[in-house]
Amino acid sequence: MGGSVLARLVIVSNRVASPKERAAKAGGLAVALREALNKQGGLWFGWSGETEVDPPAEPKIFKSGRVTYALQTLDPDDQRSHYAGYANGTLWPLCHYRLGLLSFRRSDWEGYRRVNQTFARSLLPMLQPDDVIWVHDYHFIPLATELRALGFTGRIGYFHHIPWPTPEVFLTLPSHAALVNDLAQYDLVGLQTEHDVRALLTYISSEARGWIGPGGVVGLRDRRFRVAAYPIGIDAAAFVADAKASAASSETKRLKASLAGRTLAVGVDRLDYSKGLPNKFAAFGELLKSYPEHRSTVTMMQVAPLSRGEVAEYRALRRELEELAGSINGEYSEFDWVPLRYLNRPFQRATLAAIYRSARLGLVTPLRDGMNLVAKEYVAAQNPENPGVLILSRFAGAADELSGALIVNPYDAEGMAEQFNVALTMPLEERLERWRANMDKVESNTIHHWCETYIDDLTHAADMMSDVLDHRQAAT
Ligand code: ADP
Ligand code: F6P
């Protein structure tokens, strides 16, 4: 992490992985961020997960190892407008191209900005001028604006974990111009894919009248900042180790015994409408209808932990999936075989690794996804001598890297069923070849590499921008 040795890293994210939380439960991103912080020491700031009328203006602070945690409690109405309202009722559907599900209310937009202001006021007294601040995700787009308004002039970066929509979609948002002005207050804006970068830069040049220089350097009114792609990875080595260890675990034995020699196809997704779960269920139903040879020989397991129950669309999706699962099982079950196992519970990472490794098919078919870490986890967990096949939506960011997957269009149930059949009958040699291509990507672009590259680029963003500006001046 050249040059960052002296600077303190400050991470801001809505959810903060408490040090008491076991690594497996916290998820890959949280663990990687914690590792980056532990390495150079730093501050992790975010929401406490609690609401209170008239909350204290200062965050709760505690230390664990080299990391200081600062957790801010929010007013319940503000928290609702911020999280269920603008972040997950407006920005989430917008960025996932679901305009029919988008709701925009001025009161939510105001609540969203108020919460960002609250967070900025609570964070500012803890900041030192040479800190490197790394803000995560769409809950916090205006945070840099609020910090700059309070006088902070140091380096601030933003990483957007979800897709960035094309200008036609983005323009439907009434607050589009304000949000891009907010982005301009950062020094480095990180997106998942080159597609996302193109979408944002096209908006900036065609709608906001900014200029775009080499390396994604942008000029927008009096601001200069950089936009670049940093595809997120996973802790591949940890997944490989967990999956290897899982081969002899009691969970793997139970799972195998329950399958009674049948092939397993697995899906692991938060219960979210961006994940295309009804489409995946429909494609599995289509497989059983059009390829009856797979009846009684394949079991599909969909792990879908509940998510964002406070948003109405998520509750409606839950009901829809219960009905669909019931109808597939009602139609095709035998007295000794249930085609679809549908579970709403979370699992420890080791158990997930065991499930992935036991599955001949990994079904990752979102309608739209920033990256999709499950696709990479599935690849890392495979047995290198007898790997399964990844079926991957072309609309997941991961499809740019995982060229060994069978790429599908989740809107085409018959096409997906066809590819499920291809995967179920694929010879070992082809499975090995495809897996190797995927695994090379998963092993070279890890979460550690992602953290280091981003932090390094943020630390040196000013140098890069001044090179581009010198170049522009020389050219005019
Ligand atoms: P998103 O960030 O939209 O939820 P990703 O696929 O990028 O989607 O990341 C999901 C993360 O959550 C992965 O690391 C995955 O292992 C984890 N996860 C998903 N389902 C479960 C589950 N049932 N139990 C535990 N972890 C889960
Ligand atoms: O990137 C998608 C994301 O919003 C992450 O920030 C978050 O960890 C995950 O989805 C789960 O969402 P939530 O925090 O709303 O439960």
Side-chain angles (χ1 to χ4, degrees), residues 15 83 88 92 137-139 161-162 270 307-308:
R15 293 198 195 266
Y83 178 80
N88 287 308
W92 182 271
D137 240 346
Y138 57 103
H139 316 87
H161 287 262
I162 63 178
R270 264 183 318 103
S307 183
R308 303 178 192 163

Side-chain angles (χ1 to χ4, degrees), residues 28 92 268 270 275 303 305 345-347 352 356 369 372-374 377:
W92 182 271
V268 174
R270 264 183 318 103
K275 303 293 180 183
V303 180
R345 50 160 297 192
F347 287 103
L352 273 187
Y356 292 143
D369 215 328
N372 198 292
L373 295 178
V374 167
E377 293 168 0

Side-chain angles (χ1 to χ4, degrees), residues 50-56 60 73-76:
E50 290 162 11
T51 58
E52 187 179 317
V53 178
D54 292 328
K60 286 182 211 151
T73 294
L74 293 172
D75 169 85

